[in-house]
Amino acid sequence: MFVSKVKARNRSVSKLAVYHNALKMNSDIVEWLSRDFGSKETSFQVKVNNGVIERLPRSIVSGIETVLRFDPRINPQSLNVSPAKRGYRIEFDVSEECGEEITRIGISRKFLPEYIRFRQTVIMRLLARLLTLIARANCIYPSKIEDVKMPLDYVIRIHSLELAERRRLQDKALGCCEALITELEICVNTIPIKPSQVERFIEMTDYEIRLLKGWRKSTNAMAKKIKKADEELAARIDKDKKKV
């Protein structure tokens, strides 16, 4: 995959381990996506007996359900997927417009690329959002103020809002990671790829979660320092007022 090196501005975000790992995740996963998850386009069919498909393995049940939902011959409102003793069971009704008997349903070569593109888009958006949230959170860095020309209560309120926003963005970044793991698990269950291909990316995302939680913890320490500095400043202002 072509990688372009661009001389960037000296930004503090570049020193963040949490940002570096997210950048590495983005590079590696996008390269994997560009190869269609390393999957081979295969086609398989399942038998239908009077609107019932039985003994479906978990790995293909979601794909078959998707095909059924978009098949114009089938009433999507009637779809019912349920676990059974041996695999999964799917029941459906044929639409009134369809006069033929459906005996086989399959995922064809035509279906897989469309489904793969959809999953690729979801994953790439999550990765882009993760990087954006980290960068935005890192931009918020409240610092103590030695000389207050603004009202003290206003400064304290601004500090509180900034810390809350920084924490909110960090929480959203954690949510992106959890959503990414879920999306990777969906891919394993619906696309003909080996689970071992995805394990490395799930491990990278788990590591990113640990980094984010550690970074979020540092925000708590930052909040304590800011609070202490604001209290000291308030005491100094009160002392100066008494002198007057």
Side-chain angles (χ1 to χ4, degrees):
M1 183 179 180
F2 176 75
V3 178
S4 175
K5 293 184 178 180
V6 180
K7 186 176 180 181
R9 291 175 296 163
N10 184 20
R11 297 176 298 177
S12 59
V13 70
S14 64
K15 301 176 183 178
L16 275 176
V18 67
Y19 181 79
H20 272 300
N21 189 64
L23 208 57
K24 174 68 173 171
M25 284 170 55
N26 184 82
S27 175
D28 290 1
I29 294 177
V30 168
E31 192 276 333
W32 177 60
L33 296 178
S34 70
R35 294 184 287 106
D36 289 346
F37 303 92
S39 66
K40 295 180 180 179
E41 289 187 19
T42 57
S43 59
F44 48 86
Q45 293 188 335
V46 293
K47 293 181 180 180
V48 180
N49 184 17
N50 294 324
V52 176
I53 305 173
E54 296 183 293
R55 299 183 181 181
L56 274 175
R58 182 180 178 182
S59 60
I60 67 170
V61 65
S62 180
I64 293 294
E65 181 187 3
T66 303
V67 171
L68 292 171
R69 194 168 298 280
F70 290 97
D71 192 320
R73 301 173 300 170
I74 294 168
N75 178 9
Q77 305 293 332
S78 66
L79 271 178
N80 180 41
V81 182
S82 59
K85 290 183 179 180
R86 297 182 180 180
Y88 283 76
R89 174 188 175 94
I90 298 182
E91 299 175 79
F92 62 86
D93 294 331
V94 177
S95 64
E96 295 180 359
E97 293 79 10
C98 178
E100 63 180 287
E101 181 184 1
I102 300 175
T103 59
R104 289 182 180 274
I105 290 290
I107 294 182
S108 66
R109 291 178 181 271
K110 184 178 179 181
F111 163 75
L112 277 175
E114 295 174 359
Y115 183 70
I116 285 174
R117 281 196 295 273
F118 171 73
R119 300 257 78 97
Q120 285 171 332
T121 301
V122 173
I123 291 175
M124 286 191 289
R125 284 177 178 172
L126 284 171
L127 289 168
R129 180 165 171 74
L130 174 63
L131 286 166
T132 300
L133 288 167
I134 292 172
R136 286 177 59 193
N138 190 65
C139 287
I140 303 172
Y141 200 94
S143 57
K144 65 180 182 180
I145 299 176
E146 298 294 342
D147 183 22
V148 178
K149 295 182 180 179
M150 296 176 290
L152 180 61
D153 59 341
Y154 175 75
V155 173
I156 293 174
R157 182 160 61 88
I158 290 299
H159 280 164
S160 177
L161 290 171
E162 287 177 337
L163 288 164
E165 179 64 7
R166 180 180 167 95
R167 174 68 180 244
R168 187 183 72 85
L169 292 170
Q170 289 170 334
D171 285 343
K172 283 183 172 292
L174 279 166
C176 270
C177 288
E178 295 293 350
L180 180 59
I181 289 176
T182 299
E183 191 62 31
L184 290 170
E185 290 173 344
I186 289 173
C187 290
V188 171
N189 290 327
T190 58
I191 299 172
I193 54 178
K194 295 179 180 179
S196 58
Q197 293 180 299
V198 184
E199 287 175 3
R200 182 168 71 93
F201 302 124
I202 291 180
E203 288 173 2
M204 289 180 74
T205 310
D206 280 334
Y207 179 56
E208 181 70 8
I209 288 173
R210 293 196 296 273
L211 289 174
L212 282 166
K213 287 182 177 179
W215 187 38
R216 187 177 63 179
K217 191 175 181 180
S218 72
T219 299
N220 296 336
M222 179 193 298
K224 290 179 181 179
K225 289 181 181 179
I226 292 296
K227 182 180 179 182
K228 183 179 178 181
D230 286 345
E231 289 173 350
E232 290 174 352
L233 184 58
R236 191 166 72 248
I237 291 173
D238 286 340
K239 187 176 180 180
D240 292 342
K241 286 181 178 178
K242 288 178 182 179
K243 288 181 181 180
V244 176

